[in-house]
């Protein structure tokens, strides 16, 4: 069997780190910058960065509608931080909406703009002691019925799964711990 091919949106933000982890886990990583890059991908990662910039570039590059359709048709997707904002149906403090495919409501920059960036260790699904860098992170304040909560911090939800969609407010790609990406690859 050929290796899984994971597309990583590479228009802005921390895409290189995701590609490195995907390759460490034995899958192929394909940087996505154009519609032609979508050919043959088995899954998609939406990295952290700035959701407003990413949302704008997705539209300018013609990637928005093809990706939204692929996700709606069941392409497994993992959004970290800004990527989670792109997936959220509701953004409390922003009038913009992006893919809006996950039944979650998020608040951008929920822990403050800079001082809210921190590294903690916490549990994720059935894993303990997972390193979790939060960088101007959102949190999830509301989840729909089909959404499974995988992690919480200070009373707010920070990681969720809905069917083949995974989202974390934190950045496992900034650490050496491969377990969250391994969890995603197992979803595929
Ligand atoms: N604050 C960013 C946003 O709202 C997300 C930050 C991140 O991805 N690290 O898009």
């Amino acid at each position: 069997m050929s290796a899984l091919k994971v597309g990583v949106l590479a228009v802005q933000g921390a895409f290189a780190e995701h590609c490195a982890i995907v390759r460490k886990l034995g899958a192929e990583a394909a940087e996505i910058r154009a519609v032609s890059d979508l050919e043959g991908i088995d899954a998609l990662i939406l990295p952290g960065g700035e959701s407003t910039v990413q949302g704008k570039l997705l539209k300018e590059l013609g990637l928005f509608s093809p990706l939204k359709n692929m996700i709606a048709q069941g392409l497994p997707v993992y959004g970290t931080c800004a990527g989670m904002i792109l997936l959220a149906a509701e953004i409390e403090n922003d009038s913009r909406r992006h893919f809006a495919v996950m039944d979650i409501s998020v608040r951008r920059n929920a822990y403050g703009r800079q001082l809210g960036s921190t590294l903690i260790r916490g549990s994720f699904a059935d894993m303990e002691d997972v390193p979790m860098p939060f960088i101007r992170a959102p949190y999830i304040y509301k989840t729909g019925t089909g959404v499974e909560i995988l992690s919480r911090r200070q009373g707010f939800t920070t990681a969720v799964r809905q069917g083949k969609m995974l989202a974390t407010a934190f950045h496992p790609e900034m650490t050496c711990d491969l377990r969250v990406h391994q969890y995603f690859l197992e979803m595929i």
Side-chain angles (χ1 to χ4, degrees), residues 12-34:
Q12 191 263 343
F15 55 87
E17 291 82 353
H18 280 289
C19 290
I21 293 201
V22 164
R23 291 181 187 126
K24 266 191 203 154
L25 288 169
E28 187 184 335
E31 295 187 0
I32 307 290
R33 291 193 186 83

Side-chain angles (χ1 to χ4, degrees), residues 4 9 14-15 21-23 25 28-29 39 51 56 63 92 95 105 114 123 145 158 167-168 177:
L4 283 176
L9 183 69
F15 55 87
I21 293 201
V22 164
R23 291 181 187 126
L25 288 169
E28 187 184 335
E39 183 71 36
S51 56
K56 189 166 172 282
L63 282 164
E92 185 192 51
S95 57
S105 304
Q114 285 303 340
S123 62
T145 44
T158 52
T168 63
D177 193 309

Side-chain angles (χ1 to χ4, degrees), residues 18 44-48 71 75-90 99-107 111 123-125 130 132-134 137-143 146-153 156-173 180-181 183-185 187:
H18 280 289
L44 175 71
I45 292 178
L46 302 171
I71 297 168
L75 180 76
V77 60
Y78 171 26
T80 50
C81 204
M84 176 167 105
I85 296 167
L86 294 184
L87 293 171
E90 185 58 35
F99 294 124
V101 285
M102 273 188 108
D103 197 4
I104 54 174
S105 304
V106 301
R107 174 186 296 194
Y111 299 94
S123 62
F124 169 87
V130 177
M132 302 175 168
F134 284 82
Y139 62 53
I140 302 165
Y141 63 92
K142 209 162 77 189
T143 54
V147 178
E148 184 188 352
I149 294 173
L150 300 175
S151 195
R152 291 172 75 80
R153 173 189 172 196
F156 288 100
T157 300
T158 52
V160 286
R161 174 178 180 172
Q162 180 179 3
K164 297 270 182 201
M165 299 184 283
L166 175 68
T168 63
F170 52 89
H171 290 264
E173 80 284 4
V180 175
H181 287 77
Y183 177 96
F184 176 56
L185 293 191
M187 282 170 53

Side-chain angles (χ1 to χ4, degrees), residues 47-52 80-83 85 108-109 113 135-138 171:
E50 204 52 47
S51 56
T52 50
T80 50
C81 204
I85 296 167
R108 295 182 62 203
N109 301 311
R113 288 196 81 80
I135 306 168
R136 294 181 301 107
H171 290 264

